[in-house]
């Protein structure tokens, strides 16, 4: 399946998520474009830090207009082997990462049982992006006692499952990501140091961590 066809499929899915509304301009600080009858139309821009444009998509043509250059390596599967490679385009959330982290930050909660038992730690969400732009094979690692797994997966599932696929030598290839969650209790007692040594043994493209805090129970 070609990259252009995959992108068209994803754009149709995005349009179906917007719902019906009057024609309007959208400029919320992390994305800019026009909605018409609830659909994204024309060229949309997605921003990173400040006014830096990271992604442009033409929703009328179903094409990728611009992707901010990235010379780093991504963990991708080539000929059935996982390896770090420079890929173009590289895999990423099909939208603004500000939206991605806003959804996580607004919905993640410190699990009641973990707070009660005063459990802290760094837990890793691992997932792959397949060749049609879907996050699959989602797993949670380093969750001793299983306090955080359900909460992490539930909040991750709130994010639209729409990703730009990696391409190597003109062929779409799967990629793998690591999303760390830092759970920390605050209060009078000194918090234990987070053990993040596990991260060095995990293979995948690391995303920015999500920090979740709550007062330590008295």
């Amino acid at each position: 399946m070609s990259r252009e066809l995959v992108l068209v499929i994803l754009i149709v899915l995005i349009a179906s998520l917007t719902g019906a509304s009057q024609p309007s301009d959208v400029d919320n600080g992390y994305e800019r474009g026009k909605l018409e009858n609830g659909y994204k139309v024309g060229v949309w821009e997605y921003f990173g830090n400040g006014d830096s444009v990271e992604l442009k998509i033409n929703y009328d043509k179903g094409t990728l207009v611009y992707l901010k250059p990235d010379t780093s390596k991504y963990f991708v599967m080539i000929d059935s082997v996982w390896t770090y490679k420079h890929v173009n385009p590289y895999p990423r959330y099909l939208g603004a990462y500000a939206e991605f982290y806003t959804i996580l930050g607004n919905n993640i909660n410190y699990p009641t049982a973990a707070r009660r038992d005063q459990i802290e730690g760094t837990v890793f969400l691992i997932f792959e992006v397949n060749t049609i732009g879907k996050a699959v094979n989602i797993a949670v690692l380093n969750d001793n006692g299983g306090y955080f797994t359900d909460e992490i997966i539930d909040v991750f599932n709130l994010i639209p499952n729409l990703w730009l696929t990696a391409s190597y030598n003109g062929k779409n290839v799967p990629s793998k990501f690591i999303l760390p969650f830092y759970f920390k209790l605050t209060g009078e007692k000194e918090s234990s140091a987070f053990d993040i040594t596990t991260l060095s043994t995990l293979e995948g493209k690391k995303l920015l961590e999500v920090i979740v805090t709550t007062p330590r129970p008295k």
Side-chain angles (χ1 to χ4, degrees):
M1 184 179 292
S2 70
R3 183 170 73 250
E4 289 75 15
L5 179 56
V6 170
L7 192 56
V8 169
I9 292 172
L10 294 178
I11 287 171
V12 171
L13 290 171
I14 290 174
S16 69
L17 296 173
T18 60
S21 63
Q22 296 298 317
S24 60
D25 293 323
V26 175
D27 188 354
N28 55 26
Y30 59 80
E31 62 182 358
R32 181 165 60 209
K34 182 179 288 293
L35 287 175
E36 187 173 313
N37 296 321
Y39 290 84
K40 291 184 175 182
V41 296
V43 175
W44 276 65
E45 299 177 323
Y46 298 94
F47 299 90
N49 295 327
D51 295 328
S52 173
V53 176
E54 295 188 343
L55 177 69
K56 288 184 182 181
I57 297 173
N58 187 322
Y59 286 91
D60 293 340
K61 297 181 178 180
T63 56
L64 179 65
V65 177
Y66 172 77
L67 182 63
K68 182 180 178 180
D70 185 353
T71 59
S72 63
K73 293 182 178 180
Y74 284 77
F75 199 56
V76 295
M77 181 183 285
I78 299 174
D79 297 329
S80 300
V81 177
W82 286 103
T83 182
Y84 283 99
K85 289 285 187 181
H86 297 291
V87 290
N88 185 30
Y90 54 87
R92 63 156 288 150
Y93 177 60
L94 198 59
Y97 272 113
E99 175 192 29
F100 180 90
Y101 284 101
T102 295
I103 294 172
L104 293 176
N106 286 347
N107 292 282
I108 190 78
N109 294 299
Y110 210 107
T112 301
R115 181 175 184 270
R116 179 198 63 213
D117 295 343
Q118 301 194 46
I119 302 298
E120 300 177 298
T122 306
V123 185
F124 304 100
L125 178 76
I126 311 295
F127 64 96
E128 298 171 19
V129 173
N130 64 16
T131 57
I132 60 170
K134 290 289 188 179
V136 297
N137 297 332
I138 300 167
V140 175
L141 303 182
N142 206 41
D143 185 12
N144 295 329
Y147 285 91
F148 305 108
T149 295
D150 288 345
E151 181 68 22
I152 290 174
I153 291 179
D154 286 349
V155 73
F156 185 73
N157 284 336
L158 296 176
I159 297 171
N161 194 0
L162 303 165
W163 295 77
L164 185 64
T165 58
S167 181
Y168 184 75
N169 288 341
K171 180 181 178 181
N172 291 341
V173 293
S175 54
K176 187 177 290 188
F177 287 86
I178 303 168
L179 177 58
F181 287 79
Y182 295 173
F183 289 89
K184 180 179 180 180
L185 295 167
T186 62
E188 295 180 359
K189 182 181 177 182
E190 183 71 20
S191 294
S192 58
F194 294 123
D195 180 10
I196 60 173
T197 55
T198 305
L199 183 58
S200 63
T201 68
L202 299 177
E203 293 185 301
K205 184 67 174 181
K206 179 181 177 295
L207 296 171
L208 293 176
E209 66 275 5
V210 177
I211 300 174
V212 188
T213 63
T214 193
R216 187 180 299 277
K218 297 181 179 179

